[in-house]
Amino acid sequence: MLTKGECRKMNRLSISWMNIAAFNLILLFLSGCAPVTLKTVDLQPLIATTGTTVNSGSFGFCSGEGKTPSTTFSAPAETVMVGYDDFFRAGKPPFACDDVRVSVFRGGVKFDVSQFDAIASAEFWLDTTKSISRSDGKLMETSTPISYANRLCMGTEIFSSKMLCDYSMLLPVGETISVVVSDQVRDWISMRRNNFGFVLTGPRSEFSAQTPPRDNDAKISWYSNFRLRITYEPALNFRMAQ
């Protein structure tokens, strides 16, 4: 049987070991080795829309501006289209007056990320539903869609016909597309940037209004099934469901 002195010594020893264990747990947490629970959620878009800019006019020896037909392409609900549709009607020499119309399509997709305080990662996913191309007046649709959108950027204003954007990055091509957008989403969450959504552009670079393409070509892709895949730590996002 232990004496009172031995019992007090054992109690001090137990308390000492408990303090060491608690201290080790604190060190473990501070060192970043504490167990972390992550969750992943797919957000659906608030807005998915297409912006269209049209450049048309008559060039050469012209007494006035000729009439050009409007594009016949459009995007169904919850779908965006990206690409271009050209119309060209050559004038008759020797004093030719050419009629030109160029329609450029850009897609805008916006998600609400206001419920997050911090994220581990973010990926933007979308599906290519259909693609067409036209060359020399021949319209072709591929059985396996070819993705003509080749750039993804961040909107700089509320979606409009021009779909202005910056912070452009390459967009992978394929039937199902995913791209890491963690930095962009963090900028929206921290309010370093206003959330004006993503803009899909391509495949042709900008051109001068004075020298538009003179052809009857077209390259357009349609996209749908947009989702923003967010991985986050519930403990750092008190407004999210735990």
Side-chain angles (χ1 to χ4, degrees):
M1 186 171 180
L2 296 175
T3 66
K4 288 184 179 180
E6 289 172 330
C7 286
R8 284 195 294 270
K9 186 176 181 181
M10 289 295 294
N11 286 339
R12 286 196 299 270
L13 188 61
S14 298
I15 292 170
S16 177
W17 276 109
M18 288 173 63
N19 289 340
I20 292 172
F23 181 70
N24 285 336
L25 284 174
I26 292 171
L27 282 179
L28 188 66
F29 178 79
L30 293 177
S31 66
C33 297
V36 174
T37 300
L38 296 178
K39 286 188 176 181
T40 299
V41 61
D42 279 2
L43 303 183
Q44 300 302 307
L46 285 176
I47 305 171
T49 187
T50 300
T52 304
T53 57
V54 179
N55 287 281
S56 62
S58 298
F59 301 86
F61 297 92
C62 307
S63 57
E65 185 172 328
K67 291 184 178 181
T68 57
S70 301
T71 183
T72 58
F73 300 107
S74 61
E78 300 180 357
T79 302
V80 307
M81 63 181 187
V82 180
Y84 61 87
D85 174 30
D86 298 344
F87 172 83
F88 174 65
R89 182 170 52 223
K92 296 180 179 179
F95 302 106
C97 176
D98 300 334
D99 296 324
V100 177
R101 189 263 301 148
V102 179
S103 298
V104 177
F105 314 111
R106 288 183 162 193
V109 184
K110 180 179 177 180
F111 297 89
D112 180 11
V113 295
S114 61
Q115 66 270 44
F116 294 97
D117 297 302
I119 63 166
S121 64
E123 295 177 334
F124 180 42
W125 288 74
L126 63 157
D127 293 343
T128 310
T129 55
K130 184 176 74 169
S131 294
I132 64 96
S133 66
R134 186 182 62 230
S135 180
D136 296 328
K138 296 179 181 178
L139 187 66
M140 294 176 289
E141 181 176 346
T142 57
S143 54
T144 301
I146 298 171
S147 177
Y148 288 123
N150 56 12
R151 306 290 302 183
L152 180 73
C153 52
M154 299 177 74
T156 56
E157 63 177 23
I158 295 172
F159 291 151
S160 63
S161 59
K162 292 184 178 181
M163 291 288 185
L164 298 179
C165 64
D166 62 8
Y167 200 77
S168 177
M169 61 187 293
L170 286 174
L171 185 69
V173 297
E175 255 186 289
T176 298
I177 300 168
S178 68
V179 59
V180 176
V181 291
S182 302
D183 290 343
Q184 293 91 321
V185 174
R186 289 190 184 105
D187 281 350
W188 292 333
I189 291 172
S190 65
M191 296 185 182
R192 284 191 292 266
R193 291 184 61 119
N194 290 323
N195 180 5
F196 291 122
F198 296 112
V199 176
L200 292 86
T201 72
R204 189 166 61 190
S205 57
E206 299 284 342
F207 58 86
S208 168
Q210 286 70 43
T211 57
R214 300 193 183 194
D215 56 48
N216 284 288
D217 295 349
K219 284 186 177 180
I220 307 171
S221 291
W222 285 259
Y223 301 91
S224 63
N225 193 23
F226 306 102
R227 56 265 192 217
L228 186 61
R229 184 161 296 167
I230 302 286
T231 300
Y232 66 99
E233 185 180 347
L236 301 179
N237 292 273
F238 303 105
R239 289 172 291 162
M240 289 293 294
Q242 301 299 305

